Structure formats: C-alpha cells, structure tokens
Amino acid sequence: MKETFPLFPQQASTMAPRVDALYFYLVAVTVVFSLLIAIAILYFAIKYRRRSESELPHGIEGSLKLEIAWSVIPLLFTLTFFFWGTSIFFAMNRTPDDAIEISVVGKQWMWKFQHADGQREINELHVPIGRPVRLVMASEDVIHSFYVPAFRLKRDVLPGRVATLWFEATKPGRYHLFCAEYCGTKHSGMIGSIEVMEPTEFQAWLAGGSGSESLASAGAKLFQQHACNTCHRPDSLARGPNLEGLFGKPVALEGGGTVIADESYIRESIVMPNAKRVAGFQPLMPTFQGLISEEGLLQLVAYVKSLSKAAPSPAGILPPVQDSPLEKEVRE
Ligand code: CUA
C-alpha cells in the first residue's frame, strides 16, 4: 500500500477541486464560528460569574440592533453555502453536449459497463482524460450507489429508473470505484476501478476490444425481436407513437400534462406503458417488465435516442447480449 491513510482522495476530475473548495470553505466557516462561540461562552462565564451569595442579577433590556445583526449576518453566511452549492449542483447535473455515453448496470454484486460502440467491461471502466463522460445507469435488483471518490462523484442507482451522471477525468491513473449503498451480503465486494487513459491510448484500447455491436444497434435488434416496430412506425398503420426525433422532446400526455422524453421516461414506457400514456393513443401496449433485461432496456433507450440523431443507426447481427461469459466468470 503506497499511501497508507491519505487524508483526502486524489483530485482526478474537473469537479473534484470545486467540491473540495466548497468543502474547505464549509469547514473554515464552521471552525471560525465554533471558536467564536466557545470563546464568548468562556468570556461571559468569567465576566458575569456570581461573585457573592447575595448577588442578584439585574434586568436586561433587549437590543433590536444586536438581534438583527445576529440574524442577518449568519443568514448571509448560510446563503453563500446555498449559492455556491447550487452552482456546483447545476454544473454536476448539466452534461456537456460532447459527452461520450456509457451504459452502467448495477447488480448483486458487480458493475457492468457497455461503451457506445459495444465494448463491455465488468468492475472496470476505461475512460479518456479531458473528455466528458456521461453514465446512463440502471439497477437490475436493489439500490446500489455508484461512487468514485477521486472524482467526487456519487449517485444512487435505483431499480426501476434510469440515473445519469457525468464527469471529466483530468489525471491518468487508476481510481477506486465503490458501491456506496448496502445491497446485500457481498456489498463490500462490489468494487472496481476506473482506468483513466490518454485519449490516444483510450482509442487504441477501444479498437483492441472484442468488437461487439453498438448499444444502439443492439437496441435496434431488440426492437425488431419484440416486434415493437409493428406499432411504432412512421406511417398511418401506427398504433403507437412514432419514435423518430422523439428523444429529449416534450410529450403531451393523455389526461393533460407533458413529460420530457428522457432516458427515464423511455425506460418507464417500456416496462409500464400506461404510466404516462401519450395523448391520442389507446392503452394497447403490453408491459415488457421482466421480458427485457436492464441492459436490454438501456440498449433500447440508446436506440430510441439514435433515432433523434442525424446519423442512421447501423444494424448488425451478432450474438445475444445477456449474461456474457465475462459476467459468469465474475459471478463465480
Ligand atoms: Cu451494490 Cu452495495
């Protein structure tokens, strides 16, 4: 073990120094105010101590000025936490447009990754430096939490929804990945690493992979297999909404209201088609709950997303995607 007990994890993402700066500011303000209070207590305890048995305290008048001062000054201090924290929160939740996407599925007890062009990994994720990476995450069973201390990054992954987060790595190296939510007997073993590489190395690594089909084309295959295309079609025979150009757009719902067609909505509409039905369509669609794996759902989401981009999605015929040999190996 090189660094036995580092006080802080390394800073290896663009967000890490920002989070740390706010953290140290919070610590500094807390320490200063704690000291001020402790000193005031001691000072007053000595200054106003009872000097004789018969001494009676005299009445104290309130001071409006003092009361306003000790209300407004702390308010301003706490508002600095709020505004600073909010700006970091928004930065963390707004993915830059040029981010590469990687799908992540948590299950007892491993992290499964799939790169956009199909490359798969388990408990290990290769990413390039200097490039925003967006993770589209789902859980196959219980709540897990994706946690990379060196990136100051943590997000719960709940069954039944899609969580997303992004980061941009700044330093090549190997960083810990943890599951930060107790998820069963082998929770503590649900660990892995993030391998941050120079962009050229990363390209070489990607190119040297097993070369399975891309997320979107695997999704396109599932779309055919489950005959989704018989209803979701652009022509007049369509009994379901046309999915082309849908992603990221607002959708009018039956019974009023709208929803943005994001990853979560598309996933939900596959497993619970009637939860938020599109206005003007009959409740004809059956649920696909349990029929499509969580990875399959993310592939379908990637496919629907690809229908909104200019590039046509390539179709490939390749082996089925569930339970790869790699996954079996890790499980055993
Ligand atoms: Cu997964 Cu703890």
Side-chain angles (χ1 to χ4, degrees):
M1 217 189 269
K2 263 193 314 207
E3 308 146 303
T4 322
F5 288 113
L7 197 52
F8 288 93
Q10 288 167 284
Q11 296 180 332
S13 76
T14 50
M15 216 46 82
R18 295 185 64 178
V19 171
D20 286 2
L22 174 58
Y23 176 77
F24 287 124
Y25 172 70
L26 278 168
V27 170
V29 171
T30 311
V31 167
V32 168
F33 274 88
S34 304
L35 280 176
L36 282 178
I37 291 167
I39 290 166
I41 289 173
L42 276 175
Y43 173 77
F44 290 136
I46 293 164
K47 183 165 184 209
Y48 297 108
R49 70 187 184 279
R50 200 179 188 196
R51 281 158 218 263
S52 72
E53 284 289 306
S54 57
E55 188 179 329
L56 285 174
H58 47 80
I60 298 164
E61 290 294 314
S63 159
L64 188 64
K65 267 188 209 153
L66 203 56
E67 283 175 25
I68 288 175
W70 74 46
S71 303
V72 171
I73 293 170
L75 174 72
L76 293 179
F77 266 106
T78 43
L79 281 180
T80 62
F81 304 155
F82 171 74
F83 285 112
W84 194 341
T86 311
S87 83
I88 294 179
F89 177 85
F90 279 115
M92 279 178 162
N93 283 283
R94 256 191 225 130
T95 315
D97 292 334
D98 57 337
I100 54 174
E101 289 205 349
I102 296 172
S103 97
V104 182
V105 173
K107 65 179 275 190
Q108 289 167 319
W109 287 275
M110 63 180 82
W111 292 107
K112 300 190 282 184
F113 302 99
Q114 191 170 15
H115 293 261
D117 63 356
Q119 182 85 271
R120 289 167 175 285
E121 302 189 70
I122 287 184
N123 290 343
E124 197 171 44
L125 176 63
H126 289 74
V127 293
I129 88 172
R131 184 81 197 272
V133 176
R134 182 163 193 256
L135 303 179
V136 180
M137 314 195 291
S139 164
E140 228 167 88
D141 35 45
V142 298
I143 304 176
H144 302 281
S145 185
F146 189 92
Y147 180 35
V148 186
F151 295 169
R152 309 295 185 275
L153 197 78
K154 189 198 268 176
R155 180 127 320 161
D156 282 10
V157 185
L158 282 75
R161 15 186 128 162
V162 179
T164 58
L165 60 77
W166 78 275
F167 63 86
E168 183 178 326
T170 51
K171 239 188 255 168
R174 207 177 160 77
Y175 305 100
H176 288 296
L177 159 66
F178 297 105
C179 174
E181 180 71 52
Y182 181 71
C183 55
T185 48
K186 288 186 194 153
H187 154 73
S188 63
M190 193 168 163
I191 51 176
S193 53
I194 312 274
E195 186 86 41
V196 177
M197 310 169 96
E198 296 290 346
T200 48
E201 276 178 68
F202 177 70
Q203 283 312 325
W205 177 85
L206 263 189
S210 52
S212 50
E213 68 193 317
S214 78
L215 272 179
S217 71
K221 258 176 61 193
L222 282 172
F223 198 76
Q224 301 275 338
Q225 266 171 30
H226 292 278
C228 312
N229 53 334
T230 55
C231 294
H232 294 285
R233 50 201 286 174
D235 58 27
S236 59
L237 292 171
R239 283 175 294 170
N242 183 12
L243 304 179
E244 264 160 49
L246 167 78
F247 190 81
K249 300 272 160 54
V251 173
L253 298 179
E254 191 70 46
T258 54
V259 66
I260 298 288
D262 58 4
E263 284 100 348
S264 272
Y265 175 65
I266 290 166
R267 187 199 167 283
E268 183 191 68
S269 298
I270 302 169
V271 294
M272 287 188 285
N274 295 320
K276 295 191 187 94
R277 186 153 47 90
V278 179
F281 288 93
Q282 297 300 311
L284 294 172
M285 180 169 160
T287 172
F288 287 86
Q289 182 107 52
L291 297 176
I292 302 175
S293 71
E294 210 49 60
E295 281 174 301
L297 290 170
L298 292 183
Q299 289 162 350
L300 279 169
V301 168
Y303 170 64
V304 172
K305 216 189 261 185
S306 73
L307 297 176
S308 298
K309 289 174 189 155
S313 63
I317 306 297
L318 279 149
V321 287
Q322 290 161 37
D323 275 52
S324 60
L326 179 59
E327 185 182 325
K328 286 202 184 93
E329 202 175 288
V330 170
R331 200 189 297 129
E332 273 144 26

